[in-house]
Amino acid sequence: MSVSKAWQEVAQAVLEGSRSALENRQFYRLLPRYAEMGLSEDELRDCLRWAYDEFCKSEVSDKRKAPSTARSFGTTPTKPVQAVSEQNEVSVTEDEDGIELSSKGRSISNLEQLVEAAKIDLSKWVVLEWGANTWESFYRVGDKHRKVQMWQVKARLVPSVTSFVKPAESKPVKLYPAAIYTDKPLVAVVVPDTQHGFRWNDLRTRLIPMHDRRAIDAVVQLIARVKPDLIVHLGDGPDFAEWSTKYVRGPELIETTQPAIEELHFDLRRMRNAAPKARFVYLEGNHCFRIRSALTERLPVALSAKAVGDSREALHLARLLGFDGLGIEYAGPYGSQGDDWYWEDRVRFVHDGGVRGKGGQTVSSHVAKAEVTTLFGHIHRFELAARTVHRQGSQRVIMAASAGCLCRIDGAVPGATARPDWQQGCAVVYLTDRAESIQLVPITNGSLVWNGVEMVGQDYGHAVEAEFGRPVG
């Protein structure tokens, strides 16, 4: 094909200003830009195809032959033939973000050889990107030269998150006696419904969490900062959607119980480590009760099975979640007289405080009949109400509060609606000789503010995946 001067001008302009679009054959992006050079649309398309074949096709083909996991560090022009040695030059450059490895020679041709030569411990570093270029040169053998293949290999590495985020071990925790009243108040951190659970993606290759890791992590940070005397989990730690007899269970919920149990234990362990001296109480909720309900309905004989030396049922919640090793006290079962817990006989914690249709109605209904200040979960809403009781010339304020939830509020949790009126949060409760005080702490997009400090939660799924070996992203 003879090439006109106009074609050459268009091709030169494209190569100088829009080479990337030309290499990707995105002619539609180039047509408007070069239409004013006097060619029709069809002529311009023919010109761009010719320019791609003439200047780019061979380079694009070479790039596609490179390993799929490698990232090109730029094209390497043909180098002049020169005599080379057997040795590779390996350099390691470190900066505040990571390290960069580089080698040039005959013996190192891939990432594994480069990492081994640089003596890098991949348990502490993660390969962010790497690439390799090659060319021909000469190698001296006596007075003669023979043609050899030369390699330049580069890699960029960043610190591994799991190298400094290590799951804590489940070991017996020494419990300390309750603090004696002083002018310094006793402090409790209240953890509402986390509803740990998962759904499989469409290909059943990854487990998608229904709990909100960032919100949970923000609460763990709060516990570490407050160093409370008491931690209370209000129940519904596991969602146990796979065991529900009320809602339809799709295939995406099958085989999700064990991952939920393991990650909930992982988070309870993080809370315990954040406040190792605190008393830790867990209330059984209605979702925790789903296993017992399903067995009662379909296989009641299973409820009588017990492990040797343990009076609890084989599938008792405290056994499944390893409460003994974490020093966590169990209050339940749900719906029994033992499903609530009193702090110094002045603050009551219970999972289910009843449910009303609109925000604010549940706590208003509850506080009207409460005898002591009460905090409950279950409704996943952020509510607080109070009433003053006058008795024998003195006044006493009784409060009722719901601290929200720590599960996802975007409809991921199976329920009656895909757009629930839920809010995320937790609570800090203070107790002195004279008063009880409740501070509800809202959480938005994984962030909470307490005592003038913002705590931003992080997604720690990589640490869970590293510990349990499951794709739980």
Side-chain angles (χ1 to χ4, degrees):
M1 176 191 298
S2 68
V3 182
S4 67
K5 183 177 181 180
W7 277 34
Q8 293 177 352
E9 291 177 357
V10 172
Q12 186 63 33
V14 171
L15 289 169
E16 292 176 357
S18 306
R19 186 183 185 96
S20 175
L22 184 61
E23 288 181 349
N24 290 301
R25 297 177 64 87
Q26 296 174 339
F27 300 154
Y28 66 90
R29 290 174 50 190
L30 301 172
L31 290 175
R33 191 177 301 179
Y34 302 104
E36 69 274 6
M37 302 191 75
L39 298 176
S40 67
E41 182 174 324
D42 291 339
E43 289 176 327
L44 186 54
R45 285 186 182 276
D46 290 339
C47 168
L48 294 173
R49 291 191 188 95
W50 170 81
Y52 171 79
D53 293 338
E54 188 73 15
F55 299 109
C56 301
K57 186 174 183 178
S58 61
E59 294 181 13
V60 171
S61 177
D62 291 342
K63 290 180 181 178
R64 289 175 178 171
K65 292 178 182 179
S68 59
T69 56
R71 178 185 181 276
S72 175
F73 281 83
T75 57
T76 302
T78 304
K79 297 187 177 182
V81 174
Q82 56 183 346
V84 299
S85 68
E86 282 278 2
Q87 300 298 320
N88 266 75
E89 299 176 4
V90 179
S91 65
V92 180
T93 305
E94 187 168 356
D95 54 36
E96 60 182 9
D97 296 322
I99 58 176
E100 186 166 313
L101 310 180
S102 177
S103 73
K104 184 184 297 184
R106 296 181 56 226
S107 60
I108 296 177
S109 61
N110 55 48
L111 175 65
E112 290 74 15
Q113 294 172 345
L114 177 63
V115 170
E116 182 179 358
K119 298 180 179 180
I120 299 299
D121 185 355
L122 289 183
S123 67
K124 299 180 180 179
W125 297 90
V126 174
V127 177
L128 182 63
E129 54 188 14
W130 75 278
N133 295 314
T134 184
W135 68 94
E136 292 182 342
S137 188
F138 277 96
Y139 176 66
R140 186 187 298 277
V141 180
D143 296 332
K144 297 182 180 180
H145 293 82
R146 62 183 179 87
K147 188 180 294 186
V148 294
Q149 194 81 9
M150 298 290 292
W151 293 88
Q152 181 185 41
V153 184
K154 291 184 179 181
R156 177 74 180 173
L157 289 80
V158 295
S160 170
V161 175
T162 56
S163 65
F164 55 85
V165 178
K166 296 181 179 179
E169 297 180 5
S170 253
K171 295 182 178 179
V173 178
K174 182 179 179 181
L175 299 181
Y176 291 78
I180 300 174
Y181 274 9
T182 64
D183 289 338
K184 181 181 179 182
L186 297 176
V187 186
V189 173
V190 182
V191 181
D193 310 36
T194 53
Q195 295 201 216
H196 281 66
F198 294 95
R199 291 176 179 269
W200 287 101
N201 64 358
D202 292 340
L203 299 177
R204 287 184 65 84
T205 56
R206 292 198 73 81
L207 288 161
I208 309 303
M210 296 188 292
H211 49 285
D212 192 321
R213 288 184 178 133
R214 291 192 303 157
I216 294 169
D217 186 62
V219 173
V220 173
Q221 293 181 45
L222 177 66
I223 293 172
R225 180 171 288 271
V226 173
K227 296 295 183 187
D229 304 285
L230 172 68
I231 303 171
V232 178
H233 195 303
L234 292 175
D236 281 2
D239 185 76
F240 284 163
E242 187 177 4
W243 295 81
S244 174
T245 57
K246 180 178 180 181
Y247 297 105
V248 176
R249 294 158 295 167
E252 73 278 4
L253 299 175
I254 303 302
E255 297 180 356
T256 59
T257 297
Q258 191 62 35
I261 290 172
E262 291 172 346
E263 185 156 341
L264 177 53
H265 174 83
F266 180 89
D267 286 328
L268 293 174
R269 193 170 61 198
R270 295 178 68 214
M271 295 175 192
R272 165 52 77 196
N273 290 334
K277 296 182 180 181
R279 190 173 184 180
F280 201 155
V281 178
Y282 185 101
L283 310 176
E284 183 172 81
N286 58 302
H287 283 256
C288 308
F289 198 72
R290 278 179 168 175
I291 288 183
R292 189 190 302 267
S293 297
L295 292 178
T296 300
E297 182 177 323
R298 300 173 184 174
L299 194 63
V301 68
L303 293 174
S304 62
K306 297 179 175 61
V308 175
D310 194 333
S311 61
R312 299 168 296 190
E313 308 98 65
L315 295 181
H316 192 282
L317 184 71
R319 294 190 70 247
L320 292 176
L321 294 176
F323 284 179
D324 294 345
L326 296 175
I328 297 177
E329 301 174 40
Y330 164 81
Y334 171 76
S336 70
Q337 291 184 349
D339 72 349
D340 59 357
W341 190 83
Y342 285 81
W343 188 27
E344 300 293 334
D345 292 325
R346 294 169 53 193
V347 180
R348 178 176 179 246
F349 299 96
V350 65
H351 174 71
D352 190 348
V355 180
R356 297 293 185 273
K358 295 182 179 180
Q361 292 180 343
T362 303
V363 289
S364 297
S365 172
H366 190 93
V367 78
K369 57 185 178 181
E371 298 179 355
V372 296
T373 291
T374 303
L375 287 94
F376 54 86
H378 189 58
I379 65 173
H380 295 191
R381 290 203 292 260
F382 216 58
E383 299 183 2
L384 176 65
R387 71 183 176 98
T388 301
V389 178
H390 297 267
R391 185 174 299 169
Q392 297 179 347
S394 64
Q395 298 79 40
R396 182 184 176 195
V397 176
I398 296 176
M399 291 172 282
S402 167
C405 63
L406 296 176
C407 59
R408 288 171 55 182
I409 59 176
D410 58 359
V413 179
T417 175
R419 297 180 178 179
D421 180 19
W422 295 349
Q423 297 86 45
Q424 292 178 330
C426 62
V428 179
V429 183
Y430 297 95
L431 196 63
T432 70
D433 289 336
R434 293 164 293 278
E436 306 93 38
S437 174
I438 298 176
Q439 293 184 1
L440 295 183
V441 184
I443 299 175
T444 305
N445 296 323
S447 171
L448 66 80
V449 177
W450 177 82
N451 203 22
V453 177
E454 181 182 21
M455 282 155 255
V456 182
Q458 305 298 314
D459 188 332
Y460 47 88
H462 54 275
V464 178
E465 188 166 336
E467 174 163 341
F468 299 110
R470 286 191 180 91
V472 289

